PDB file of all heavy atoms in Angstrom:
ATOM      1  N   ARG A 203       0.837  -1.193   0.000  1.00 82.00           N
ATOM      2  CA  ARG A 203       0.000   0.000   0.000  1.00 82.00           C
ATOM      3  C   ARG A 203       0.872   1.244   0.000  1.00 82.00           C
ATOM      4  O   ARG A 203       1.717   1.425   0.870  1.00 82.00           O
ATOM      5  CB  ARG A 203      -0.900  -0.019   1.228  1.00 82.00           C
ATOM      6  CG  ARG A 203      -1.835   1.147   1.280  1.00 82.00           C
ATOM      7  CD  ARG A 203      -2.801   0.974   2.431  1.00 82.00           C
ATOM      8  NE  ARG A 203      -3.629   2.150   2.574  1.00 82.00           N
ATOM      9  CZ  ARG A 203      -4.602   2.239   3.425  1.00 82.00           C
ATOM     10  NH1 ARG A 203      -4.894   1.225   4.218  1.00 82.00           N
ATOM     11  NH2 ARG A 203      -5.319   3.337   3.516  1.00 82.00           N
ATOM     12  N   LEU A 204       0.630   2.133  -0.971  1.00 82.00           N
ATOM     13  CA  LEU A 204       1.356   3.395  -0.983  1.00 82.00           C
ATOM     14  C   LEU A 204       0.421   4.585  -0.826  1.00 82.00           C
ATOM     15  O   LEU A 204       0.852   5.672  -0.489  1.00 82.00           O
ATOM     16  CB  LEU A 204       2.192   3.549  -2.260  1.00 82.00           C
ATOM     17  CG  LEU A 204       1.450   3.790  -3.564  1.00 82.00           C
ATOM     18  CD1 LEU A 204       1.485   5.262  -3.935  1.00 82.00           C
ATOM     19  CD2 LEU A 204       2.093   2.977  -4.661  1.00 82.00           C
ATOM     20  N   ILE A 205      -0.862   4.392  -1.063  1.00 79.00           N
ATOM     21  CA  ILE A 205      -1.850   5.460  -0.947  1.00 79.00           C
ATOM     22  C   ILE A 205      -2.383   5.485   0.478  1.00 79.00           C
ATOM     23  O   ILE A 205      -2.671   4.443   1.058  1.00 79.00           O
ATOM     24  CB  ILE A 205      -3.013   5.203  -1.937  1.00 79.00           C
ATOM     25  CG1 ILE A 205      -2.497   5.051  -3.365  1.00 79.00           C
ATOM     26  CG2 ILE A 205      -4.067   6.278  -1.843  1.00 79.00           C
ATOM     27  CD1 ILE A 205      -1.927   6.283  -3.983  1.00 79.00           C
ATOM     28  N   ASN A 206      -2.566   6.672   1.037  1.00 76.00           N
ATOM     29  CA  ASN A 206      -3.075   6.740   2.406  1.00 76.00           C
ATOM     30  C   ASN A 206      -4.601   6.562   2.429  1.00 76.00           C
ATOM     31  O   ASN A 206      -5.238   6.386   1.380  1.00 76.00           O
ATOM     32  CB  ASN A 206      -2.635   8.036   3.096  1.00 76.00           C
ATOM     33  CG  ASN A 206      -3.296   9.274   2.529  1.00 76.00           C
ATOM     34  OD1 ASN A 206      -4.257   9.221   1.764  1.00 76.00           O
ATOM     35  ND2 ASN A 206      -2.784  10.425   2.908  1.00 76.00           N
ATOM     36  N   ALA A 207      -5.191   6.607   3.599  1.00 71.00           N
ATOM     37  CA  ALA A 207      -6.625   6.360   3.759  1.00 71.00           C
ATOM     38  C   ALA A 207      -7.485   7.341   2.978  1.00 71.00           C
ATOM     39  O   ALA A 207      -8.604   7.029   2.600  1.00 71.00           O
ATOM     40  CB  ALA A 207      -6.998   6.405   5.241  1.00 71.00           C
ATOM     41  N   GLU A 208      -6.993   8.531   2.729  1.00 71.00           N
ATOM     42  CA  GLU A 208      -7.757   9.533   1.991  1.00 71.00           C
ATOM     43  C   GLU A 208      -7.551   9.437   0.487  1.00 71.00           C
ATOM     44  O   GLU A 208      -8.157  10.181  -0.267  1.00 71.00           O
ATOM     45  CB  GLU A 208      -7.384  10.943   2.476  1.00 71.00           C
ATOM     46  CG  GLU A 208      -7.930  11.281   3.863  1.00 71.00           C
ATOM     47  CD  GLU A 208      -7.194  10.529   4.975  1.00 71.00           C
ATOM     48  OE1 GLU A 208      -5.958  10.379   4.897  1.00 71.00           O
ATOM     49  OE2 GLU A 208      -7.877  10.060   5.900  1.00 71.00           O
ATOM     50  N   GLY A 209      -6.678   8.556   0.035  1.00 71.00           N
ATOM     51  CA  GLY A 209      -6.504   8.314  -1.381  1.00 71.00           C
ATOM     52  C   GLY A 209      -5.405   9.116  -2.057  1.00 71.00           C
ATOM     53  O   GLY A 209      -5.429   9.295  -3.262  1.00 71.00           O
ATOM     54  N   TRP A 210      -4.407   9.598  -1.326  1.00 74.00           N
ATOM     55  CA  TRP A 210      -3.323  10.348  -1.969  1.00 74.00           C
ATOM     56  C   TRP A 210      -1.972   9.883  -1.442  1.00 74.00           C
ATOM     57  O   TRP A 210      -1.888   9.222  -0.425  1.00 74.00           O
ATOM     58  CB  TRP A 210      -3.490  11.859  -1.799  1.00 74.00           C
ATOM     59  CG  TRP A 210      -3.466  12.348  -0.388  1.00 74.00           C
ATOM     60  CD1 TRP A 210      -4.551  12.527   0.430  1.00 74.00           C
ATOM     61  CD2 TRP A 210      -2.331  12.732   0.386  1.00 74.00           C
ATOM     62  NE1 TRP A 210      -4.149  12.980   1.660  1.00 74.00           N
ATOM     63  CE2 TRP A 210      -2.790  13.127   1.655  1.00 74.00           C
ATOM     64  CE3 TRP A 210      -0.960  12.774   0.126  1.00 74.00           C
ATOM     65  CZ2 TRP A 210      -1.925  13.548   2.654  1.00 74.00           C
ATOM     66  CZ3 TRP A 210      -0.103  13.194   1.126  1.00 74.00           C
ATOM     67  CH2 TRP A 210      -0.601  13.586   2.368  1.00 74.00           C
ATOM     68  N   ALA A 211      -0.926  10.232  -2.189  1.00 78.00           N
ATOM     69  CA  ALA A 211       0.438   9.855  -1.824  1.00 78.00           C
ATOM     70  C   ALA A 211       1.416  10.802  -2.492  1.00 78.00           C
ATOM     71  O   ALA A 211       1.048  11.566  -3.375  1.00 78.00           O
ATOM     72  CB  ALA A 211       0.731   8.423  -2.259  1.00 78.00           C
ATOM     73  N   PHE A 212       2.641  10.746  -2.059  1.00 79.00           N
ATOM     74  CA  PHE A 212       3.737  11.494  -2.663  1.00 79.00           C
ATOM     75  C   PHE A 212       4.503  10.578  -3.619  1.00 79.00           C
ATOM     76  O   PHE A 212       4.433   9.356  -3.505  1.00 79.00           O
ATOM     77  CB  PHE A 212       4.702  12.026  -1.595  1.00 79.00           C
ATOM     78  CG  PHE A 212       4.082  13.031  -0.677  1.00 79.00           C
ATOM     79  CD1 PHE A 212       3.726  12.676   0.617  1.00 79.00           C
ATOM     80  CD2 PHE A 212       3.861  14.337  -1.093  1.00 79.00           C
ATOM     81  CE1 PHE A 212       3.158  13.607   1.469  1.00 79.00           C
ATOM     82  CE2 PHE A 212       3.291  15.271  -0.252  1.00 79.00           C
ATOM     83  CZ  PHE A 212       2.940  14.902   1.042  1.00 79.00           C
ATOM     84  N   GLY A 213       5.255  11.175  -4.523  1.00 80.00           N
ATOM     85  CA  GLY A 213       6.109  10.391  -5.406  1.00 80.00           C
ATOM     86  C   GLY A 213       7.085   9.540  -4.625  1.00 80.00           C
ATOM     87  O   GLY A 213       7.405   8.416  -5.023  1.00 80.00           O
ATOM     88  N   SER A 214       7.547  10.052  -3.487  1.00 83.00           N
ATOM     89  CA  SER A 214       8.481   9.286  -2.660  1.00 83.00           C
ATOM     90  C   SER A 214       7.804   8.044  -2.071  1.00 83.00           C
ATOM     91  O   SER A 214       8.463   7.025  -1.850  1.00 83.00           O
ATOM     92  CB  SER A 214       9.055  10.166  -1.550  1.00 83.00           C
ATOM     93  OG  SER A 214       8.011  10.750  -0.789  1.00 83.00           O
ATOM     94  N   ASP A 215       6.485   8.113  -1.830  1.00 86.00           N
ATOM     95  CA  ASP A 215       5.751   6.937  -1.354  1.00 86.00           C
ATOM     96  C   ASP A 215       5.729   5.856  -2.430  1.00 86.00           C
ATOM     97  O   ASP A 215       5.900   4.675  -2.140  1.00 86.00           O
ATOM     98  CB  ASP A 215       4.310   7.312  -0.988  1.00 86.00           C
ATOM     99  CG  ASP A 215       4.223   8.302   0.164  1.00 86.00           C
ATOM    100  OD1 ASP A 215       5.025   8.182   1.113  1.00 86.00           O
ATOM    101  OD2 ASP A 215       3.357   9.184   0.101  1.00 86.00           O
ATOM    102  N   ALA A 216       5.501   6.279  -3.674  1.00 87.00           N
ATOM    103  CA  ALA A 216       5.499   5.327  -4.787  1.00 87.00           C
ATOM    104  C   ALA A 216       6.869   4.672  -4.929  1.00 87.00           C
ATOM    105  O   ALA A 216       6.970   3.452  -5.080  1.00 87.00           O
ATOM    106  CB  ALA A 216       5.101   6.031  -6.083  1.00 87.00           C
ATOM    107  N   ALA A 217       7.914   5.471  -4.865  1.00 90.00           N
ATOM    108  CA  ALA A 217       9.278   4.926  -4.982  1.00 90.00           C
ATOM    109  C   ALA A 217       9.557   3.956  -3.836  1.00 90.00           C
ATOM    110  O   ALA A 217      10.096   2.865  -4.058  1.00 90.00           O
ATOM    111  CB  ALA A 217      10.300   6.058  -5.004  1.00 90.00           C
ATOM    112  N   ALA A 218       9.171   4.311  -2.617  1.00 93.00           N
ATOM    113  CA  ALA A 218       9.407   3.435  -1.468  1.00 93.00           C
ATOM    114  C   ALA A 218       8.658   2.116  -1.623  1.00 93.00           C
ATOM    115  O   ALA A 218       9.186   1.044  -1.281  1.00 93.00           O
ATOM    116  CB  ALA A 218       8.982   4.130  -0.175  1.00 93.00           C
ATOM    117  N   ALA A 219       7.446   2.158  -2.159  1.00 93.00           N
ATOM    118  CA  ALA A 219       6.667   0.936  -2.357  1.00 93.00           C
ATOM    119  C   ALA A 219       7.330   0.021  -3.374  1.00 93.00           C
ATOM    120  O   ALA A 219       7.363  -1.202  -3.198  1.00 93.00           O
ATOM    121  CB  ALA A 219       5.245   1.293  -2.796  1.00 93.00           C
ATOM    122  N   ILE A 220       7.869   0.603  -4.430  1.00 94.00           N
ATOM    123  CA  ILE A 220       8.529  -0.205  -5.459  1.00 94.00           C
ATOM    124  C   ILE A 220       9.812  -0.819  -4.910  1.00 94.00           C
ATOM    125  O   ILE A 220      10.090  -2.001  -5.120  1.00 94.00           O
ATOM    126  CB  ILE A 220       8.790   0.629  -6.725  1.00 94.00           C
ATOM    127  CG1 ILE A 220       7.457   1.074  -7.330  1.00 94.00           C
ATOM    128  CG2 ILE A 220       9.613  -0.161  -7.742  1.00 94.00           C
ATOM    129  CD1 ILE A 220       7.585   2.199  -8.329  1.00 94.00           C
ATOM    130  N   TYR A 221      10.609  -0.013  -4.190  1.00 96.00           N
ATOM    131  CA  TYR A 221      11.820  -0.564  -3.563  1.00 96.00           C
ATOM    132  C   TYR A 221      11.451  -1.729  -2.642  1.00 96.00           C
ATOM    133  O   TYR A 221      12.093  -2.772  -2.649  1.00 96.00           O
ATOM    134  CB  TYR A 221      12.564   0.502  -2.751  1.00 96.00           C
ATOM    135  CG  TYR A 221      13.474   1.379  -3.554  1.00 96.00           C
ATOM    136  CD1 TYR A 221      13.264   2.758  -3.606  1.00 96.00           C
ATOM    137  CD2 TYR A 221      14.570   0.865  -4.242  1.00 96.00           C
ATOM    138  CE1 TYR A 221      14.111   3.587  -4.335  1.00 96.00           C
ATOM    139  CE2 TYR A 221      15.419   1.680  -4.968  1.00 96.00           C
ATOM    140  CZ  TYR A 221      15.181   3.042  -5.006  1.00 96.00           C
ATOM    141  OH  TYR A 221      16.022   3.846  -5.730  1.00 96.00           O
ATOM    142  N   TYR A 222      10.410  -1.545  -1.838  1.00 96.00           N
ATOM    143  CA  TYR A 222       9.985  -2.587  -0.907  1.00 96.00           C
ATOM    144  C   TYR A 222       9.621  -3.868  -1.661  1.00 96.00           C
ATOM    145  O   TYR A 222      10.068  -4.961  -1.305  1.00 96.00           O
ATOM    146  CB  TYR A 222       8.792  -2.113  -0.077  1.00 96.00           C
ATOM    147  CG  TYR A 222       8.253  -3.185   0.830  1.00 96.00           C
ATOM    148  CD1 TYR A 222       8.792  -3.383   2.097  1.00 96.00           C
ATOM    149  CD2 TYR A 222       7.224  -4.024   0.416  1.00 96.00           C
ATOM    150  CE1 TYR A 222       8.312  -4.391   2.925  1.00 96.00           C
ATOM    151  CE2 TYR A 222       6.742  -5.033   1.230  1.00 96.00           C
ATOM    152  CZ  TYR A 222       7.292  -5.206   2.484  1.00 96.00           C
ATOM    153  OH  TYR A 222       6.825  -6.217   3.293  1.00 96.00           O
ATOM    154  N   ALA A 223       8.792  -3.722  -2.691  1.00 96.00           N
ATOM    155  CA  ALA A 223       8.347  -4.892  -3.448  1.00 96.00           C
ATOM    156  C   ALA A 223       9.519  -5.616  -4.091  1.00 96.00           C
ATOM    157  O   ALA A 223       9.638  -6.845  -3.980  1.00 96.00           O
ATOM    158  CB  ALA A 223       7.327  -4.470  -4.501  1.00 96.00           C
ATOM    159  N   VAL A 224      10.383  -4.879  -4.757  1.00 97.00           N
ATOM    160  CA  VAL A 224      11.532  -5.502  -5.435  1.00 97.00           C
ATOM    161  C   VAL A 224      12.459  -6.165  -4.422  1.00 97.00           C
ATOM    162  O   VAL A 224      12.892  -7.301  -4.610  1.00 97.00           O
ATOM    163  CB  VAL A 224      12.289  -4.468  -6.299  1.00 97.00           C
ATOM    164  CG1 VAL A 224      13.574  -5.058  -6.862  1.00 97.00           C
ATOM    165  CG2 VAL A 224      11.399  -3.954  -7.419  1.00 97.00           C
ATOM    166  N   ASN A 225      12.747  -5.477  -3.331  1.00 97.00           N
ATOM    167  CA  ASN A 225      13.649  -6.023  -2.311  1.00 97.00           C
ATOM    168  C   ASN A 225      13.067  -7.233  -1.588  1.00 97.00           C
ATOM    169  O   ASN A 225      13.799  -7.990  -0.948  1.00 97.00           O
ATOM    170  CB  ASN A 225      14.029  -4.948  -1.299  1.00 97.00           C
ATOM    171  CG  ASN A 225      15.050  -3.983  -1.846  1.00 97.00           C
ATOM    172  OD1 ASN A 225      15.887  -4.342  -2.673  1.00 97.00           O
ATOM    173  ND2 ASN A 225      14.989  -2.732  -1.407  1.00 97.00           N
ATOM    174  N   ASN A 226      11.747  -7.405  -1.683  1.00 97.00           N
ATOM    175  CA  ASN A 226      11.099  -8.545  -1.022  1.00 97.00           C
ATOM    176  C   ASN A 226      10.647  -9.611  -2.016  1.00 97.00           C
ATOM    177  O   ASN A 226       9.789 -10.434  -1.699  1.00 97.00           O
ATOM    178  CB  ASN A 226       9.944  -8.057  -0.150  1.00 97.00           C
ATOM    179  CG  ASN A 226      10.465  -7.435   1.121  1.00 97.00           C
ATOM    180  OD1 ASN A 226      10.838  -8.140   2.045  1.00 97.00           O
ATOM    181  ND2 ASN A 226      10.542  -6.118   1.151  1.00 97.00           N
ATOM    182  N   GLY A 227      11.228  -9.585  -3.212  1.00 96.00           N
ATOM    183  CA  GLY A 227      11.059 -10.683  -4.143  1.00 96.00           C
ATOM    184  C   GLY A 227       9.982 -10.544  -5.203  1.00 96.00           C
ATOM    185  O   GLY A 227       9.764 -11.480  -5.973  1.00 96.00           O
ATOM    186  N   ALA A 228       9.290  -9.423  -5.275  1.00 96.00           N
ATOM    187  CA  ALA A 228       8.280  -9.265  -6.328  1.00 96.00           C
ATOM    188  C   ALA A 228       8.974  -9.212  -7.682  1.00 96.00           C
ATOM    189  O   ALA A 228       9.924  -8.465  -7.868  1.00 96.00           O
ATOM    190  CB  ALA A 228       7.460  -8.001  -6.099  1.00 96.00           C
ATOM    191  N   ARG A 229       8.487 -10.017  -8.606  1.00 95.00           N
ATOM    192  CA  ARG A 229       9.081 -10.038  -9.944  1.00 95.00           C
ATOM    193  C   ARG A 229       8.350  -9.117 -10.902  1.00 95.00           C
ATOM    194  O   ARG A 229       8.907  -8.712 -11.922  1.00 95.00           O
ATOM    195  CB  ARG A 229       9.093 -11.470 -10.469  1.00 95.00           C
ATOM    196  CG  ARG A 229       9.973 -12.354  -9.608  1.00 95.00           C
ATOM    197  CD  ARG A 229      10.081 -13.785 -10.078  1.00 95.00           C
ATOM    198  NE  ARG A 229       9.215 -14.150 -11.182  1.00 95.00           N
ATOM    199  CZ  ARG A 229       8.606 -15.321 -11.299  1.00 95.00           C
ATOM    200  NH1 ARG A 229       8.765 -16.227 -10.379  1.00 95.00           N
ATOM    201  NH2 ARG A 229       7.862 -15.591 -12.333  1.00 95.00           N
ATOM    202  N   VAL A 230       7.080  -8.818 -10.602  1.00 93.00           N
ATOM    203  CA  VAL A 230       6.251  -7.949 -11.430  1.00 93.00           C
ATOM    204  C   VAL A 230       5.481  -7.031 -10.495  1.00 93.00           C
ATOM    205  O   VAL A 230       5.044  -7.458  -9.427  1.00 93.00           O
ATOM    206  CB  VAL A 230       5.239  -8.773 -12.269  1.00 93.00           C
ATOM    207  CG1 VAL A 230       4.342  -7.868 -13.089  1.00 93.00           C
ATOM    208  CG2 VAL A 230       5.953  -9.778 -13.149  1.00 93.00           C
ATOM    209  N   SER A 231       5.325  -5.767 -10.871  1.00 91.00           N
ATOM    210  CA  SER A 231       4.466  -4.883 -10.080  1.00 91.00           C
ATOM    211  C   SER A 231       3.456  -4.211 -10.994  1.00 91.00           C
ATOM    212  O   SER A 231       3.759  -3.851 -12.129  1.00 91.00           O
ATOM    213  CB  SER A 231       5.287  -3.831  -9.322  1.00 91.00           C
ATOM    214  OG  SER A 231       6.017  -3.018 -10.218  1.00 91.00           O
ATOM    215  N   ASN A 232       2.231  -4.100 -10.502  1.00 86.00           N
ATOM    216  CA  ASN A 232       1.169  -3.398 -11.201  1.00 86.00           C
ATOM    217  C   ASN A 232       1.037  -2.033 -10.535  1.00 86.00           C
ATOM    218  O   ASN A 232       0.806  -1.940  -9.334  1.00 86.00           O
ATOM    219  CB  ASN A 232      -0.147  -4.171 -11.098  1.00 86.00           C
ATOM    220  CG  ASN A 232      -1.269  -3.384 -11.714  1.00 86.00           C
ATOM    221  OD1 ASN A 232      -1.246  -3.077 -12.898  1.00 86.00           O
ATOM    222  ND2 ASN A 232      -2.242  -3.025 -10.897  1.00 86.00           N
ATOM    223  N   ASN A 233       1.198  -0.987 -11.313  1.00 83.00           N
ATOM    224  CA  ASN A 233       1.207   0.374 -10.767  1.00 83.00           C
ATOM    225  C   ASN A 233       0.168   1.210 -11.489  1.00 83.00           C
ATOM    226  O   ASN A 233       0.435   1.758 -12.541  1.00 83.00           O
ATOM    227  CB  ASN A 233       2.600   0.991 -10.956  1.00 83.00           C
ATOM    228  CG  ASN A 233       3.662   0.140 -10.297  1.00 83.00           C
ATOM    229  OD1 ASN A 233       3.979   0.328  -9.141  1.00 83.00           O
ATOM    230  ND2 ASN A 233       4.198  -0.823 -11.026  1.00 83.00           N
ATOM    231  N   SER A 234      -1.013   1.266 -10.935  1.00 74.00           N
ATOM    232  CA  SER A 234      -2.069   2.038 -11.578  1.00 74.00           C
ATOM    233  C   SER A 234      -2.446   3.216 -10.680  1.00 74.00           C
ATOM    234  O   SER A 234      -3.460   3.205 -10.001  1.00 74.00           O
ATOM    235  CB  SER A 234      -3.287   1.170 -11.893  1.00 74.00           C
ATOM    236  OG  SER A 234      -3.759   0.518 -10.744  1.00 74.00           O
TER     237      SER A 234
END
């Protein structure tokens, strides 16, 4: 989860989510 309860996020949140997923073994990410 990168979006907060109100439905918004910063670009840094998106980057952190991708780093987390990749570092924890995700081979594919869906980013919509």
Side-chain angles (χ1 to χ4, degrees):
R203 182 173 175 175
L204 71 100
I205 304 292
N206 69 12
E208 288 72 40
W210 62 268
F212 295 104
S214 55
D215 297 322
I220 297 164
Y221 277 119
Y222 176 86
V224 173
N225 284 329
N226 284 281
R229 297 182 353 218
V230 178
S231 60
N232 175 61
N233 303 270
S234 55

